[in-house]
Amino acid sequence: MSEESDLEKTEPATARRLEKAREEGQVVRSRELGTFAMLMTGVIGLWTTGGVLGRKLDAVMHAGLAFEPATAFDTNRMLSQFAAIVWDALLAFLPLLLMFGVAALVTPLALGGWMFSTKSFSPDFSRMSPISGLGRLFSAHSLVELAKAIAKSLLVGGVGAWMIWRKLPEAIALMDAPIQEALLHMMELVLYVSGVVAGSLILVAALDVPWQLYTFHKKLRMTKEEIKQEMKETDGDPHIKARIRQQQRAIARRRMMAEVPKADVVVTNPTHYAVALRYEEGRMGAPRVVAKGADEVAARIRELAAEHRVPMLSAPPLARALHRHVELGHEIPAGLYTAVAEVLAWVYQLKNWHYSYGPQPNGPADLVVPDELAVPESRA
């Protein structure tokens, strides 16, 4: 059962999968939202700029239908006049065209944002397969699109018929009005009815947008195995990463062990912890921890110290404090200066004892560790 569940696409798409789909030109798009936006832009544009557009087109129409004998027999004047008329017509429609352009650019931001991908232009010969075409024709997506088209037709047709029925008496009454007034009022009626019909499409868009979001994310769902494979590709194989970390720790440990023979003293717990200290007067501000470890690592530090005749001192409170509070390669804190100074003084006495006669100096006892740096043995 676990193997079957791993092969089912039940997991939401990862960020990398969504980014890859976007690079391939797959983004959320709602055709109904775009249709609603463009139709409403047209209605609003005609409503706001219709008067200016009508006057400019009237002037263009008069200029185009005016007959001048000199122009009729002069090809150059005819072409220049035609170019001027076309230019005036374009300027008349320019505000409306700009509104359409802004709507076409802004509408995609509502869902998938702007996107440009050259992969969308690459040929896909699988779409030429008749079997694939029949599969798409009778798919659930096609059935939903058919249902949307029928619902949209019924909605637009119903709203349009209802508005025409309501405004029909008002339109019939214009037959008795002067022609200029009748034409103007008729255009207002047409724009009003068109606006209501176009506005009704917001219901279709409100249903289509969630559906497109659902189908898009459902199409990009991934199996658990695909997610595991993606994690391996992005973050690397966990086993390989663990092996690398293990090798890194081994290298760091060997580097640390190489510093033990150079240490001045090794402070022990005596068995659980071992911390190697080194101090070079004039080059270090304070003694520095060059190696530290617990259990097996501590045992290895003690072995190396014994092999290279590095002095070792059993001072459990100091060893626990050094191991807990001082990072490898860092200098000891000021609170441990006094205790470590006593240890180094004993080390120097021990070195002098090797070159002289007399009793061997005893190691310092009852080293004072401040309360804020002390580590109880149970927490060590």
Side-chain angles (χ1 to χ4, degrees):
M1 294 296 293
S2 60
E3 293 180 358
E4 292 179 359
S5 62
D6 287 346
L7 298 178
E8 295 178 358
K9 294 189 175 184
T10 57
E11 305 301 315
T14 60
R16 185 184 179 192
R17 178 71 181 94
L18 293 173
E19 183 181 356
K20 185 177 180 181
R22 188 176 184 84
E23 293 175 355
E24 295 175 352
Q26 300 180 29
V27 292
V28 186
R29 287 289 184 264
S30 173
R31 187 180 303 173
E32 308 304 333
L33 180 62
T35 302
F36 165 74
M38 297 302 288
L39 289 177
M40 287 304 298
T41 299
V43 172
I44 295 173
L46 289 174
W47 191 275
T48 55
T49 65
V52 178
L53 178 62
R55 288 190 295 270
K56 289 186 177 182
L57 291 180
D58 182 66
V60 170
M61 184 69 70
H62 278 85
L65 296 178
F67 178 76
E68 296 181 8
T71 304
F73 296 99
D74 190 345
T75 306
N76 293 329
R77 291 185 62 181
M78 186 185 301
L79 292 175
S80 62
Q81 185 175 353
F82 176 74
I85 292 173
V86 172
W87 178 252
D88 291 339
L90 288 175
L91 290 178
F93 281 103
L94 184 60
L96 189 61
L97 294 176
L98 289 176
M99 294 178 69
F100 278 120
V102 172
L105 291 175
V106 172
T107 302
L109 289 176
L111 289 179
W114 291 340
M115 187 274 301
F116 179 80
S117 175
T118 56
K119 292 185 179 181
S120 302
F121 299 100
S122 58
D124 187 0
F125 296 102
S126 62
R127 293 182 174 271
M128 300 177 63
S129 172
I131 299 177
S132 300
L134 290 174
R136 291 192 298 269
L137 184 62
F138 296 101
S139 63
H141 178 75
S142 298
L143 292 177
V144 172
E145 292 296 324
L146 178 61
K148 285 196 310 182
I150 295 174
K152 184 166 60 174
S153 300
L154 292 175
L155 176 65
V156 172
V159 173
W162 175 65
M163 289 300 300
I164 292 174
W165 180 259
R166 284 192 55 193
K167 296 297 181 180
L168 186 59
E170 189 175 344
I172 294 175
L174 294 177
M175 297 176 64
D176 298 330
I179 187 169
Q180 293 291 340
E181 181 182 346
L183 287 174
L184 180 60
H185 196 60
M186 179 58 73
M187 289 299 298
E188 292 178 354
L189 285 176
V190 170
L191 283 176
Y192 179 75
V193 173
S194 300
V196 174
V197 173
S200 66
L201 290 176
I202 193 173
L203 298 176
V204 182
L207 295 175
D208 185 62
V209 169
W211 169 253
Q212 295 298 335
L213 289 170
Y214 170 76
T215 55
F216 176 78
H217 289 286
K218 182 180 179 181
K219 182 180 178 182
L220 295 181
R221 281 179 183 174
M222 305 172 65
T223 64
K224 293 181 179 180
E225 186 62 30
E226 288 175 339
I227 293 179
K228 292 178 182 178
Q229 187 63 31
E230 183 181 290
M231 291 180 62
K232 289 181 180 179
E233 293 175 356
T234 55
D235 300 334
D237 192 327
H239 299 288
I240 297 177
K241 292 178 66 177
R243 180 62 178 170
I244 292 174
R245 287 194 295 267
Q246 183 180 0
Q247 291 180 351
Q248 289 175 342
R249 287 194 295 267
I251 294 173
R253 185 176 300 174
R254 286 195 295 269
R255 188 182 300 115
M256 180 184 70
M257 293 302 179
E259 296 294 323
V260 174
K262 305 175 186 178
D264 293 316
V265 64
V266 172
V267 182
T268 64
N269 194 29
T271 57
H272 293 300
Y273 296 100
V275 180
L277 297 174
R278 183 181 180 187
Y279 177 65
E280 296 183 17
E281 188 176 358
R283 297 184 59 183
M284 297 181 182
R288 184 172 298 172
V289 173
V290 295
K292 69 174 185 175
D295 299 328
E296 294 181 1
V297 178
R300 180 57 181 162
I301 292 175
R302 291 194 300 271
E303 290 177 6
L304 288 173
E307 292 177 5
H308 294 84
R309 298 182 179 180
V310 177
M312 287 185 287
L313 175 68
S314 177
L318 180 59
R320 292 195 296 266
L322 290 170
H323 188 273
R324 172 65 63 86
H325 298 293
V326 187
E327 296 294 331
L328 190 66
H330 289 200
E331 295 180 352
I332 64 172
L336 298 178
Y337 280 0
T338 302
V340 173
E342 293 184 36
V343 173
L344 292 179
W346 168 74
V347 171
Y348 296 147
Q349 293 173 5
L350 196 61
K351 288 181 179 180
N352 292 330
W353 171 77
H354 286 293
Y355 300 103
S356 61
Y357 297 97
Q360 181 178 351
N362 296 323
D366 300 327
L367 295 173
V368 179
V369 176
D371 294 337
E372 63 271 13
L373 297 177
V375 179
E377 188 173 359
S378 58
R379 295 177 53 191

